[in-house]
Amino acid sequence: MAEPWVERFPGLARLEGDTKKRLLTRSTIREIPEGTVIFGPGVSPEHMLFLLEGKVRVQQVSDTGHEIVLYRIHAGESCVLTTACLLAFKDYAAEGIAESNVRAALVPRVEFDDLVATSSSFRGFVFAAFSKRITDLFQMIDEVAFQRTDVRLADRLIELSEHQDSVATTHQTLAGELGTAREVISRQLREFQRRGWIEQSRGRIELVDRRQLARLASQKA
Amino acid sequence: MAEPWVERFPGLARLEGDTKKRLLTRSTIREIPEGTVIFGPGVSPEHMLFLLEGKVRVQQVSDTGHEIVLYRIHAGESCVLTTACLLAFKDYAAEGIAESNVRAALVPRVEFDDLVATSSSFRGFVFAAFSKRITDLFQMIDEVAFQRTDVRLADRLIELSEHQDSVATTHQTLAGELGTAREVISRQLREFQRRGWIEQSRGRIELVDRRQLARLASQKA
DNA sequence: AGAGTACGGTGACAAAGTCACCGACGCGTT
DNA sequence: AACGCGTCGGTGACTTTGTCACCGTACTCT
């Protein structure tokens, strides 16, 4: 394509020309097929990740078998967790999974470190990403602890639908999204259906009345 | 005292001599009285914080009035949140409160940035702190979402007791610690008392059978 | 001493999580 | 076509947790 990928990152476009050039020349573009475990317990990444296309789901699977989705990384975002891991040599408890085919720019550890050392604006980018991630986690803790599940479910349905009018997912998967039980999801969805907001079929949910769903979801502060 | 404070930080003692010297000469020691709001909505810190003595409680107060303690910073630790905020100019939703009289070394923003730029080992320290904080938050999300409150309460009681045999706190405050309701705490404490693990009086809880409490708390993986 | 507030107790109920079990559907194989 | 099997979703009973309204008592301040 005509435009180099750096320009499409809100935070990176502001970098000095020299820094951009280094990012471009020292990174490699890689295609990652859907379903790939990008990082996780035992899988330590060697590169910092800039997502050009696709989505990465970061989730936690506890030893009790419980599951919860922590956040997603979309095109135009970088994965700070990878960064933290890169520089601190720490394994994390969470795992990152390519939710679709992904195209990403990979910056090797040394280059990353060098960029942080030499470019003040790159430092700004990295720390802003950390800051964003941490405040998002705070928000998430608040929601898990205090938000009603119907509100969270409505919100997640809308988010997952991505302007389509239906979502291809199972009750079990939705439970994993919100960190709750399948039965709870089933009950809530039955109620949504009773109100005429959705239609259900096996492995699929049609958003019939998106407005009402959004109204409920908006309660989440 | 004879030994400079840098030596008492596990992660900082490994720094190059020059970096240590810079940290020492460009930082100022400040005493912060108990109860001071160190940072929070609208209170942006101007310095990075290294805790020499005391404790800082970081908690979130949501608009619904719900409250939850996110983590604590103890002597020998630094506050990465402050750091993130420093470099990203972002307000956070959480607030940090001096839980006791605090002595801390303050490093101004510019000096911090300079240190990150020039010292590779200081970068390592900072990113390790970020990494630790983020993985701790993951752990916390897991606990809030999936852990039984009796287990969490037992754990917190032991943590708060700090080798004393009693804890000076109210049910309401404990509810704020765990992000639950006072009534829930009261019920759990009543049950603990029934089992002979604790004794209660107004604003105080005696840990009678610490071993049993610890046994319950240990279930939290 | 009196007022006001913080603290904790209680009962009733709603929401959410757990457990055990069941039928139906989809998809292979034979 | 018939079978077997795993996934998907439904259900009822029960436990745990959260919410609400209200109460009495202890402490503090003046």
Side-chain angles (χ1 to χ4, degrees):
Chain A
M1 76 209 57
E3 200 187 36
W5 62 264
V6 193
E7 302 298 338
R8 282 180 298 158
F9 275 70
L12 295 181
R14 279 196 299 269
L15 296 186
E16 312 91 349
D18 176 52
T19 309
K20 286 187 198 172
K21 203 176 299 172
R22 264 194 293 165
L23 260 177
L24 287 173
T25 55
R26 302 187 186 176
S27 63
T28 54
I29 308 290
R30 172 113 58 103
E31 307 276 340
I32 301 167
E34 179 172 348
T36 307
V37 176
I38 297 174
F39 59 85
V43 188
S44 225
E46 292 299 305
H47 310 273
M48 185 188 185
L49 233 88
F50 292 91
L51 266 208
L52 306 182
E53 252 174 56
K55 276 175 300 180
V56 174
R57 184 179 71 243
V58 179
Q59 65 188 4
Q60 182 148 28
V61 181
S62 78
D63 39 5
T64 53
H66 285 118
E67 203 172 306
I68 188 166
V69 173
L70 298 167
Y71 56 88
R72 286 183 164 78
I73 308 157
H74 301 91
E77 297 176 349
S78 66
C79 184
V80 282
L81 240 211
T82 321
T83 316
C85 177
L86 268 180
L87 292 204
F89 313 97
K90 262 211 160 194
D91 283 325
Y92 16 73
E95 56 181 6
I97 297 171
E99 235 184 355
S100 62
N101 288 327
V102 160
R103 202 166 78 249
L106 306 187
V107 180
R109 168 202 296 274
V110 250
E111 304 299 342
F112 175 82
D113 191 55
D114 184 52
L115 281 162
V116 170
T118 53
S119 166
S120 155
S121 54
F122 188 75
R123 275 199 293 284
F125 172 82
V126 171
F127 281 108
F130 265 109
S131 173
K132 175 75 163 57
R133 186 57 63 218
I134 287 183
T135 51
D136 280 0
L137 285 174
F138 285 179
Q139 177 68 22
M140 160 120 191
I141 288 171
D142 209 81
E143 280 172 27
V144 170
F146 305 124
Q147 209 66 242
R148 292 179 52 100
T149 56
D150 54 355
V151 174
R152 295 208 294 141
L153 178 56
D155 182 63
R156 196 57 63 100
L157 282 177
I158 289 175
E159 196 184 314
L160 291 174
S161 73
E162 291 184 320
H163 308 293
Q164 307 293 313
D165 53 357
S166 88
V167 183
T169 185
T170 67
H171 295 190
Q172 181 65 66
T173 305
L174 283 172
E177 287 277 336
L178 302 182
T180 180
R182 177 186 59 82
E183 295 93 319
V184 177
I185 298 291
S186 295
R187 286 197 287 247
Q188 298 291 354
L189 288 178
R190 191 200 308 157
E191 176 62 17
F192 286 175
Q193 185 166 30
R194 195 188 64 76
R195 296 186 197 170
W197 297 357
I198 62 169
E199 284 298 326
Q200 298 190 65
S201 51
R202 194 184 171 88
R204 172 161 298 280
I205 297 166
E206 313 280 333
L207 305 194
V208 178
D209 193 340
R210 193 193 208 82
R211 236 188 65 254
Q212 291 295 326
L213 281 173
R215 218 172 58 85
L216 179 59
S218 73
Q219 290 181 13
K220 68 161 210 166
Chain B
M1 76 211 56
E3 199 186 36
W5 62 266
V6 192
E7 303 297 340
R8 281 180 297 160
F9 276 70
L12 294 181
R14 279 195 298 271
L15 297 185
E16 310 91 349
D18 175 51
T19 309
K20 286 186 198 173
K21 204 176 298 171
R22 261 194 296 164
L23 260 176
L24 286 172
T25 56
R26 302 187 187 176
S27 64
T28 53
I29 307 290
R30 171 114 58 104
E31 307 276 340
I32 301 166
E34 178 171 349
T36 307
V37 176
I38 298 175
F39 59 85
V43 187
S44 225
E46 292 299 306
H47 309 273
M48 184 188 187
L49 233 89
F50 292 90
L51 265 207
L52 306 181
E53 251 173 57
K55 275 174 300 179
V56 174
R57 183 179 71 243
V58 179
Q59 65 188 4
Q60 184 148 27
V61 182
S62 78
D63 39 5
T64 54
H66 285 119
E67 204 172 304
I68 188 167
V69 173
L70 298 167
Y71 55 89
R72 285 183 166 80
I73 308 157
H74 301 92
E77 296 175 349
S78 67
C79 185
V80 282
L81 240 211
T82 321
T83 316
C85 177
L86 267 180
L87 293 206
F89 313 96
K90 261 208 157 196
D91 283 325
Y92 15 72
E95 55 181 7
I97 298 171
E99 235 183 355
S100 62
N101 288 326
V102 160
R103 202 167 76 249
L106 307 188
V107 181
R109 169 203 295 275
V110 249
E111 304 300 341
F112 174 82
D113 191 55
D114 184 51
L115 281 162
V116 170
T118 53
S119 166
S120 155
S121 55
F122 188 74
R123 276 199 293 283
F125 171 82
V126 171
F127 282 108
F130 266 109
S131 172
K132 174 74 163 57
R133 187 56 64 219
I134 287 183
T135 52
D136 280 0
L137 285 174
F138 285 179
Q139 176 68 21
M140 160 120 191
I141 288 172
D142 208 81
E143 279 172 29
V144 170
F146 305 125
Q147 209 65 243
R148 293 179 50 100
T149 56
D150 54 355
V151 174
R152 295 209 293 142
L153 178 56
D155 183 63
R156 195 57 62 102
L157 281 177
I158 289 175
E159 196 184 313
L160 290 174
S161 73
E162 291 183 321
H163 310 293
Q164 309 292 313
D165 54 355
S166 89
V167 183
T169 186
T170 67
H171 295 190
Q172 182 64 65
T173 305
L174 283 171
E177 287 277 337
L178 302 182
T180 179
R182 177 186 60 81
E183 296 92 320
V184 176
I185 298 291
S186 295
R187 285 197 287 248
Q188 298 291 355
L189 288 178
R190 191 200 308 156
E191 175 62 17
F192 286 174
Q193 185 165 32
R194 195 188 64 75
R195 297 186 197 168
W197 297 358
I198 64 169
E199 285 299 326
Q200 299 190 64
S201 52
R202 193 184 172 87
R204 171 161 299 279
I205 296 168
E206 312 281 333
L207 305 194
V208 177
D209 193 339
R210 193 193 207 81
R211 235 187 66 252
Q212 292 294 326
L213 281 173
R215 216 171 59 85
L216 180 60
S218 72
Q219 290 180 14
K220 68 160 210 166

